[in-house]
Amino acid sequence: MRPFDLLQPKTTDEAIALLARHGSRACLLAGGTDLLVEIKEGIRAPDVLIDAKHLPGMRDLVVSSSEGLRFGALVTARELETSPAVKDFYHGLWQALRELGSIQVRNRATVAGNVCRASPSADTLPPLIADGAVVAIMGPAGERHVTLEDFFTGAGKTVLNGDEIVTGFSVPKPLPGTGKCYVKHGRRKAMELATVGVAVTMTMTGDTCSSIRIALGAVAPTPIRARKAEAVLAGKKPDIELIAQCGAIAATETSPISNIRGSADYRRRMVEELVQRAITAAMEAAR
Amino acid sequence: MPAAPFPERERIDARDKVLGATAYAADIPLPGLLYAMMVPATTPKGRVETVAVEGAMQVRGVVRVLTAFDFPALPGPPPTPATEIAYRGQPVALVVAETLEAAIEGAEAVRATYAGQAFVPLIDSPGAARELVQPKKAGNAQAAMAGAATTIEASYVSPAQHHNPMEMLSTTAVWRDGKLTIYEGTQSASLVRANVAIALHLDPAVVEVKSAQVGGAFGQKIPLQRQTPIVALAAILIGRPVKLVLPRAQIFHNAVFRPKSRHQVALGADAGGKLTAIRYDADHQQSRKGTLEPGYHESPPRMYGVADYDGTAAHVRIDTQDPGAMRAPYPHPAQFAFESAVDELAHKLGRDPVAFRLAHQATTDPISGNPLSSCFLNDCLTEGARRFGWERRPIAQGAMVEPDGTLVGWGVAAGGYPANVSPTIATLRVSADGRTRFAVAGHEMGQGIRTVIAQLLQRELDVDPARLEIAIGDTAAAPQHTTASSRGTVSVGAAVTAAAAKMRAAMAELIGQRSIAGNIHRQLATVRRPFLQVEVSTLGPGQDAGALDRLRAGARAAAGPEYPQFTSFSYIAHFVEVRVEPSTRRVRVPRVVSIADCGRVVSPRTAASQVRGGVVWAIGAALREETEVDPRFGGWLNADLADYVVPVNADIGDIDVGFVDRPDPLFNAVGSKGLGEVAMVGAAAAIANAVFHATGTRVRKMPLRIEDLL
């Protein structure tokens, strides 16, 4: 491993100033479950690591049906996973967290890291996008907020400027009659990167789908919304035909690659199938 | 008189392993230890022009950088760094440092330049050279095939796969007072000694190799490992102990691997539905100078008593590292092809695949013309079918469907593996104070050879099991044969039997007509003898004393499966249930029944574990594992455990293991045959056959991917 300087700022302003000073020579360190592996393997070679773990106010986790979900950038995947309220009200996110790496990894890894790494197959991104999560970003000019859906600009790329830090996330409270589901598809049952990830958050008013958000992972350079597929169901009474149509249209909205985990064609077919499964499961949960 | 069944006994090293107390080669603490890291070639073929080591030498803590220019010139392909690069990842230099971190940083700072050459990355690339080897034939398969009423012919493919034992490859070398001691996980301590001596121009007498525990081997640790003489020379030149643990990606690129192989199988049956002719051509990926034979005709001719067999085989030489043995090196891919083809023929004949196999009991080996020493494959099939509930299987495909649309399929396949044996030289010492020491050839690779030795010793002699020292994997204890090809139990069985008989004779002579109470230790104490020691040597059937000379020299000394009077094989039958999800086509294997004929089972506990492990590996081989090459760059693409996908615990269902447990008295006194390798053989074909039964789709390649079933 190449040597690097480890800087441990005590305030967010100090961290931002360090990022501004060191520019692309620096990487921000939270859980380190991706970053340290990549440094070891020579994929990244930062001169400076700015350790975010001592920054104040980033370990808060607030979740309830009335206030929604807010959590700081240093909250670990495992903390969220073991919160009963997250399981109840943000079930898709909870399902994604359960399948992220191993428990050992989740004890260290942060959702903020999963987000900022911007891998197209990252598990927590589709359910957070389906839930309408908003990212809080702090920079030299102050704080700004970006919806997670608009946060990604490409594989491994985000809207973050070099001197900005993600400080936390807020996710709207679930509306009554809302059901959520995340389906992760891989070859084996654990320790797997998603071949396809599908998240659905849908709200039912009686038999009618009053709103639906479908987010897909690992089938485009960034996680994406399947907006045309959503339009098929929004305001309608979902039946098997309509749900099947929704799956077929979602598949057309993707632009997957072929790699060792699956061909592009297989991924499209799985989107068609898994969107139907996720909608059905979310509908059942909504009742 | 063959041995009676052995009792169930727990592994003697289980507790230490569970506690993490077992010390492997890289765990040996040594004062003044230095750490090393290799620098891999970044070109797939060419010549090293320059190696700049200055950057590495400037890293704080780096002690020395060794390059090709530090090593003695050798005839033939050198096991040490060389300027000719034959494959991507070949060692170019070794950086030695005070800390592991400095060694890694130094290795990253070494800069090599190359004169690149055109290379052939794949067996189907232009320039891949097919090189035929001696065919294996019996009878007249051409005539039998021409007269067959029903024939099938198909091609099957087995991919390149890599070993990934839990214990990383490592070498620790110590040079002290003119003696070199090497600690590493190996299956061949004596071979390592002989070859390191040749590579470094040393007298073998000054080299000792210690490999008391090996964290999984399965063929990867048979040959001299690429790093061993390099690390040894570093220790000699620097005068301090040096340790190298290879990172996973370097293991993929430097250790032996299972070569990709292609199999063309044609079968013919007569009007009565009897299998009468086998034509089988196989070729496999081979390096330019590699020597692993394409020996795929070991098991297919010995399965079903077919007299007319036409086997041809070839190397396909390309630019890659040397392939080598990997669990059931020939029978696993060969039986995947052959047992898939048998299933295809049974299907074409409208026969139940178990009944079809049962109708072909083998009694002779068509290749040698000799009888088989024993073959209880039909017992395996009958007992497996009973446990599995095979009689409830509908013969039609796609006939078992769950309410949610899941397709269920049941498949069967059989396996065979040569029953081999090594000569041994062993020393048994029993002491009056209660200790027993048995030194013999053998390497404990997790298969449980120490437990087997303990089991045998306790049957033969009334020794105290709590104070038993089993000295194996150590060239200082006894000449070490290569522990491979499932010959460990058979070989030590002969050694223990002979040593115990000699010990009993020596005791009888010592005690004479007296009657002395107590166990053997107590008897020694009573007659005031501190200890009694005997040395024995054993040979395989038909071997002469030359085999012992080869054993002492670290050369190939084993025999089998063709012996002067008979041919000897182990057998197994696997029954598999697969479940194919209706839309994702994901294949699950919830249930397997495997019944083995390995002669007399010496250690029931570890034997069952061997079979379970083999079945798990076959599930990985059939559904997951493939090492891929990017033809633009050569080398291995998915050289880590994130992308080289093996099954996880949650992927494995119920595996029910049973044994025929009938001794083979012709083969040896204990009546045992090998087990480790045969455990895996045929299981991948059983999975593919079950998938065919579930879906009607015949997949003729491994791994069977979900896309293949869409």
Side-chain angles (χ1 to χ4, degrees):
Chain A
M1 194 192 290
R2 260 180 92 246
F4 50 78
D5 290 330
L6 180 70
L7 306 179
Q8 297 188 303
K10 297 289 185 293
T11 67
T12 310
D13 286 345
E14 195 188 336
I16 290 166
L18 288 172
L19 278 173
R21 187 183 318 151
H22 295 289
S24 60
R25 296 171 56 241
C27 282
L28 201 58
L29 170 72
T33 54
D34 263 339
L35 180 61
L36 291 182
V37 174
E38 291 187 348
I39 293 174
K40 272 188 180 174
E41 294 188 349
I43 298 167
R44 289 185 198 227
D47 296 319
V48 176
L49 279 196
I50 300 171
D51 182 2
K53 287 198 289 293
H54 303 281
L55 300 182
M58 292 199 195
R59 293 186 185 274
D60 297 339
L61 167 60
V62 179
V63 56
S64 70
S65 61
S66 55
E67 291 185 65
L69 168 64
R70 282 185 287 114
F71 60 95
L74 293 174
V75 172
T76 64
R78 186 70 174 161
E79 287 173 80
L80 284 160
E81 177 197 348
T82 51
S83 156
V86 169
K87 183 182 176 188
D88 288 348
F89 305 126
Y90 299 91
H91 195 70
L93 175 63
W94 180 79
Q95 287 174 306
L97 289 163
R98 294 261 298 167
E99 301 208 44
L100 178 72
S102 61
I103 290 175
Q104 292 90 327
V105 167
R106 300 201 289 273
N107 279 334
R108 297 289 303 174
T110 62
V111 170
N114 205 221
V115 167
C116 292
R117 174 79 176 70
S119 164
S121 64
D123 285 307
T124 61
L125 311 188
L128 284 169
I129 289 172
D131 279 348
V134 174
V135 189
I137 299 168
M138 189 68 90
E143 194 173 35
R144 66 180 178 126
H145 294 87
V146 178
T147 62
L148 187 60
E149 185 184 343
D150 298 322
F151 184 77
F152 305 103
T153 56
K157 295 181 182 145
T158 71
V159 299
L160 281 180
N161 295 318
D163 53 3
E164 286 184 316
I165 293 177
V166 168
T167 56
F169 300 84
S170 58
V171 193
K173 66 182 181 185
L175 296 169
T178 298
K180 303 175 180 189
C181 179
Y182 175 68
V183 179
K184 175 177 184 165
H185 186 57
R187 288 165 296 181
R188 60 184 177 190
K189 287 187 175 177
M191 291 295 288
E192 177 69 299
L193 291 174
T195 305
V196 173
V198 177
V200 170
T201 295
M202 79 190 287
T203 305
M204 298 294 290
T205 308
D207 290 337
T208 303
C209 167
S210 49
S211 78
I212 179 166
R213 290 165 67 97
I214 303 171
L216 308 175
V219 289
T222 68
I224 55 168
R225 282 274 295 279
R227 289 179 179 277
K228 289 180 193 161
E230 291 171 5
V232 171
L233 277 189
K236 307 251 178 54
K237 292 183 177 174
D239 59 19
I240 286 175
E241 282 73 32
L242 216 49
I243 293 171
Q245 195 188 338
C246 193
I249 288 176
T252 67
E253 297 184 72
T254 63
S255 50
I257 56 166
S258 292
N259 69 5
I260 198 161
R261 286 186 192 81
S263 65
D265 182 49
Y266 181 74
R267 285 189 157 97
R268 268 189 289 269
R269 291 194 201 204
M270 289 307 103
V271 168
E272 177 172 354
E273 167 64 25
L274 300 175
V275 163
Q276 296 177 59
R277 284 193 196 179
I279 289 171
T280 308
M283 261 177 78
E284 283 170 6
R287 287 171 196 279
Chain B
M1 181 70 185
F6 284 85
E8 173 93 10
R9 217 188 279 274
E10 65 187 36
R11 291 185 71 108
I12 62 171
D13 48 8
R15 186 179 159 80
D16 280 352
K17 288 202 168 184
V18 170
L19 293 175
T22 303
Y24 294 89
D27 300 329
I28 306 297
L30 291 162
L33 183 65
L34 294 170
Y35 298 82
M37 187 53 58
M38 290 206 302
V39 179
T42 54
T43 187
K45 190 176 187 180
R47 189 174 173 77
V48 177
E49 292 195 313
T50 62
V51 184
V53 304
E54 297 75 19
M57 289 307 297
Q58 279 166 17
V59 172
R60 196 178 56 185
V62 169
V63 174
R64 181 149 183 174
V65 182
L66 279 77
T67 69
F69 311 104
D70 293 297
F71 289 84
L74 291 165
T80 47
T83 50
E84 293 300 325
I85 299 301
Y87 59 89
R88 181 177 288 276
Q90 182 180 318
V92 168
L94 184 81
V95 176
V96 184
E98 296 285 351
T99 65
L100 177 60
E101 290 74 14
I104 294 170
E105 194 186 339
E108 288 170 355
V110 171
R111 293 282 172 271
T113 60
Y114 307 92
Q117 292 169 16
F119 66 102
V120 179
L122 305 170
I123 56 173
D124 35 21
S125 301
R130 195 173 141 98
E131 181 184 302
L132 282 165
V133 300
Q134 195 68 24
K136 206 151 218 181
K137 299 192 186 221
N140 186 343
Q142 200 178 349
M145 196 66 78
T150 308
T151 60
I152 62 115
E153 179 157 15
S155 301
Y156 306 85
V157 177
S158 171
Q161 296 178 333
H162 274 73
H163 292 270
N164 278 286
M166 293 291 284
E167 180 197 25
M168 310 295 261
L169 291 188
S170 80
T171 297
T172 302
V174 182
W175 177 253
R176 190 177 296 142
D177 304 330
K179 281 198 74 172
L180 177 67
T181 305
I182 292 170
Y183 302 89
E184 74 173 35
T186 176
Q187 296 172 248
S188 314
S190 289
L191 178 147
V192 173
R193 168 158 80 170
N195 285 292
V196 166
I198 292 168
L200 302 182
H201 298 185
L202 294 171
D203 177 356
V206 304
V207 183
E208 293 293 2
V209 178
K210 296 186 184 295
S211 190
Q213 294 281 353
V214 187
F218 309 103
Q220 182 189 48
K221 296 168 186 167
I222 294 173
L224 179 67
Q225 293 167 34
R226 198 68 173 79
Q227 78 282 357
T228 310
I230 306 176
V231 176
L233 183 69
I236 292 169
L237 291 177
I238 299 168
R240 285 171 65 183
V242 177
K243 171 160 86 174
L244 170 65
V245 180
L246 268 70
R248 185 70 68 181
Q250 291 193 8
I251 294 176
F252 268 88
H253 283 88
N254 279 294
V256 295
F257 66 102
R258 188 195 299 287
K260 182 173 182 173
S261 56
R262 301 179 292 204
H263 309 260
Q264 180 82 18
V265 182
L267 302 178
D270 64 17
K274 187 155 183 57
L275 181 59
T276 52
I278 302 170
R279 198 173 65 232
Y280 172 22
D281 177 69
D283 64 18
H284 72 183
Q285 170 181 16
Q286 180 57 279
S287 67
R288 294 292 174 189
K289 293 172 179 169
T291 55
L292 180 81
E293 282 299 307
Y296 297 94
H297 300 295
E298 276 179 344
S299 54
R302 277 73 180 234
M303 298 300 296
Y304 299 118
V306 177
D308 297 302
Y309 187 91
D310 180 357
T312 49
H315 296 290
V316 183
R317 294 204 181 269
I318 61 171
D319 294 303
T320 183
Q321 82 226 49
D322 289 351
M326 178 161 157
R327 176 114 294 182
Y330 307 124
H332 161 64
Q335 293 292 115
F336 170 73
F338 182 65
E339 286 290 306
S340 293
V342 168
D343 203 67
E344 297 200 41
L345 181 62
H347 175 69
K348 194 167 180 182
L349 292 166
R351 298 279 300 280
D352 173 82
V354 172
F356 181 71
R357 287 174 173 84
L358 285 172
H360 292 87
Q361 165 79 50
T363 53
T364 53
D365 167 18
I367 303 295
S368 67
N370 280 334
L372 293 169
S373 60
S374 65
C375 172
F376 301 116
L377 175 58
N378 279 9
D379 298 55
C380 299
L381 287 161
T382 307
E383 172 63 8
R386 187 190 68 75
R387 289 195 193 186
F388 193 80
W390 186 261
E391 78 280 357
R392 299 196 308 276
R393 177 185 183 267
I395 198 156
Q397 300 86 54
M400 295 194 288
V401 185
E402 295 286 294
D404 68 355
T406 297
L407 297 163
V408 181
W410 289 359
V412 65
Y417 196 89
N420 300 308
V421 60
S422 287
T424 63
I425 296 169
T427 309
L428 173 64
R429 182 197 296 168
V430 181
S431 301
D433 62 5
R435 288 178 298 138
T436 303
R437 183 178 192 272
F438 188 61
V440 68
H443 299 79
E444 177 59 76
M445 312 180 288
Q447 83 279 39
I449 196 167
R450 280 198 175 82
T451 304
V452 162
I453 292 170
Q455 174 89 300
L456 288 160
L457 270 172
Q458 286 173 77
R459 164 165 295 191
E460 295 287 333
L461 294 169
D462 191 7
V463 293
D464 180 358
R467 303 194 66 192
L468 191 55
E469 182 198 348
I470 296 167
I472 54 175
D474 186 343
T475 53
Q480 297 294 313
H481 63 63
T482 299
T483 308
S485 303
S486 294
R487 53 180 180 249
T489 295
V490 172
S491 305
V492 298
V496 172
T497 308
K502 199 162 177 183
M503 180 60 73
R504 279 192 298 268
M507 280 299 290
E509 193 180 317
L510 187 65
I511 291 172
Q513 300 303 312
R514 286 173 286 181
S515 169
I516 303 175
N519 66 11
I520 189 167
H521 309 290
R522 186 78 220 125
Q523 291 172 0
L524 283 169
T526 305
V527 298
R528 301 280 175 210
R529 273 295 281 264
F531 67 87
L532 207 51
Q533 178 168 314
V534 297
E535 184 174 316
V536 293
S537 60
T538 63
L539 294 166
Q543 285 195 307
D544 59 29
L548 294 173
D549 296 336
R550 293 194 295 279
L551 172 66
R552 288 191 191 92
R556 183 180 157 73
E562 292 173 28
Y563 302 97
Q565 306 296 324
F566 53 83
T567 295
S568 216
F569 267 72
S570 296
Y571 295 93
I572 196 163
H574 300 282
F575 293 77
V576 169
E577 175 174 313
V578 299
R579 290 177 169 254
V580 182
E581 290 180 14
S583 47
T584 64
R585 312 302 274 184
R586 211 158 26 184
V587 179
R588 302 291 190 206
V589 185
R591 196 161 71 92
V592 179
V593 173
S594 301
I595 310 292
D597 160 27
C598 58
R600 176 61 81 215
V601 177
V602 176
S603 170
R605 172 84 50 103
T606 52
S609 293
Q610 281 278 37
V611 177
R612 260 182 238 113
V615 170
V616 170
W617 200 336
I619 292 171
L623 300 176
R624 304 265 187 276
E625 295 175 45
E626 177 171 16
T627 338
E628 303 201 31
V629 174
D630 184 333
R632 294 170 301 173
F633 305 109
W636 304 104
L637 199 54
N638 48 336
D640 60 51
L641 287 177
D643 284 324
Y644 185 86
V645 183
V646 297
V648 293
N649 273 339
D651 289 325
I652 304 303
D654 186 45
I655 301 170
D656 180 15
V657 176
F659 297 98
V660 175
D661 202 11
R662 286 173 67 177
D664 182 336
L666 263 185
F667 186 34
N668 57 63
V670 178
S672 60
K673 303 187 282 188
L675 176 64
E677 312 260 11
V678 80
M680 182 184 183
V681 180
I687 292 168
N689 294 343
V691 167
F692 174 73
H693 185 238
T695 64
T697 302
R698 177 70 67 183
V699 182
R700 298 187 178 89
K701 67 168 183 60
M702 293 185 284
L704 193 158
R705 293 211 195 275
I706 33 192
E707 289 99 314
D708 299 323
L709 299 175
L710 282 171

